[in-house]
Amino acid sequence: MTATIETYAPPALLYRFRKIGVAPDFPNQSTRREIEGLNEGRLWCGEYHDLNDAMEGLYRAGDAARGQPQWERARTLIRDGKTSVGIACFSEVWQQALMWAHYADSFKGICIEYDFRVLRETLADNTSFSRVSYADQLLDIGSDLENPRRLAKWILSTKHHSWSYEREWRLFIPERGLVRFDRAAIRRIILGPRMSANVAQFLEANLSRYHIVRSRVRGYDVEVD
């Protein structure tokens, strides 16, 4: 027999950090893409190769896996599962300075706050969320090779412990592309403390349906009023 894993207390809110661009106009691709996605209720889910961690997707297959007759087929299906799935990355925290530095254009971007329940309930049935786990060693996939696609998601939900400050959740969709959700899931949009005044004003005008707040740095903290 095997004990089940149950999660009773998912976070109420999730956050997504985004680069927005420095030129406040629609010809700017980053600005246009983010504004259109927010106003239309669309999320981009990219390939794992596009993520910034060069160790993404690595895993260990020991003798228990390699000794099985279906190993070669399973290895191919795991590889295909990793390359085909679409991923969007979220965090449980918005005040983490490294997140602003790495994913929001050195504090010049935005952080989108989502109601996690509303987001989950309004995404398509073929999507799923996974909380990322952090470890010192590569994930050993063990001997159960019956579901290579599940193994691919497991591999893509495991990172080195040096990334643990991200407190990451990942949204998986069957293949890379856009996925729709109800805009009611967006609680507020936090503007980075280094965002220029003209870019902030442009976003406030073009995202007027949302609650937008400006942040600031106070000591070693990122704050909003």
Side-chain angles (χ1 to χ4, degrees), residues 17 52 90-103 134 159-168:
F17 294 82
N52 64 341
F90 299 81
S91 174
E92 295 181 353
V93 294
W94 71 269
Q95 293 170 298
Q96 167 57 256
L98 290 177
M99 299 295 287
W100 282 102
H102 295 164
Y103 301 111
Y134 303 95
K159 298 177 70 172
H160 189 260
H161 72 87
S162 58
W163 296 91
S164 61
Y165 69 90
E166 295 184 343
R167 292 173 61 179
E168 186 177 355

Side-chain angles (χ1 to χ4, degrees), residues 22 150 187-188 217:
V22 295
R150 183 189 67 82
R187 292 275 300 269
R188 63 177 177 169
V217 172

Side-chain angles (χ1 to χ4, degrees), residues 43-209:
L43 276 169
W44 171 255
C45 298
E47 296 179 351
Y48 87 93
H49 286 300
D50 296 330
L51 300 175
N52 64 341
D53 181 3
M55 302 171 191
E56 290 282 0
L58 299 181
Y59 66 97
R60 179 178 178 272
D63 293 340
R66 294 178 181 274
Q68 297 193 48
Q70 71 267 41
W71 163 242
E72 291 299 330
R73 179 176 180 275
R75 181 170 66 171
T76 299
L77 292 175
I78 291 171
R79 181 198 63 204
D80 293 346
K82 291 190 301 177
T83 55
S84 65
V85 72
I87 302 172
C89 302
F90 299 81
S91 174
E92 295 181 353
V93 294
W94 71 269
Q95 293 170 298
Q96 167 57 256
L98 290 177
M99 299 295 287
W100 282 102
H102 295 164
Y103 301 111
D105 196 18
S106 301
F107 295 81
K108 296 188 289 289
I110 62 175
C111 178
I112 308 152
E113 180 181 277
Y114 295 90
D115 184 307
F116 192 19
R117 180 188 61 80
V118 177
L119 182 60
R120 295 195 313 272
E121 291 177 354
T122 60
L123 285 166
D125 289 340
N126 61 354
T127 64
S128 62
F129 277 93
S130 173
R131 178 181 255 148
V132 172
S133 63
Y134 303 95
D136 292 329
Q137 305 291 329
L138 286 178
L139 172 68
D140 189 325
I141 61 172
S143 60
D144 185 356
L145 304 178
E146 293 302 315
N147 192 334
R149 190 167 186 84
R150 183 189 67 82
L151 289 175
K153 289 183 181 180
W154 186 19
I155 293 164
L156 292 173
S157 299
T158 306
K159 298 177 70 172
H160 189 260
H161 72 87
S162 58
W163 296 91
S164 61
Y165 69 90
E166 295 184 343
R167 292 173 61 179
E168 186 177 355
W169 284 72
R170 288 187 167 177
L171 167 63
F172 291 102
I173 66 174
E175 58 185 21
R176 75 171 217 161
L178 292 166
V179 62
R180 290 192 173 274
F181 66 96
D182 191 321
R183 293 173 301 194
I186 297 178
R187 292 275 300 269
R188 63 177 177 169
I189 299 173
I190 305 167
L191 308 185
R194 280 178 147 182
M195 180 178 289
S196 65
N198 59 339
V199 172
Q201 292 166 3
F202 183 80
L203 294 179
E204 288 167 343
N206 286 276
L207 294 170
S208 58
R209 71 173 67 247

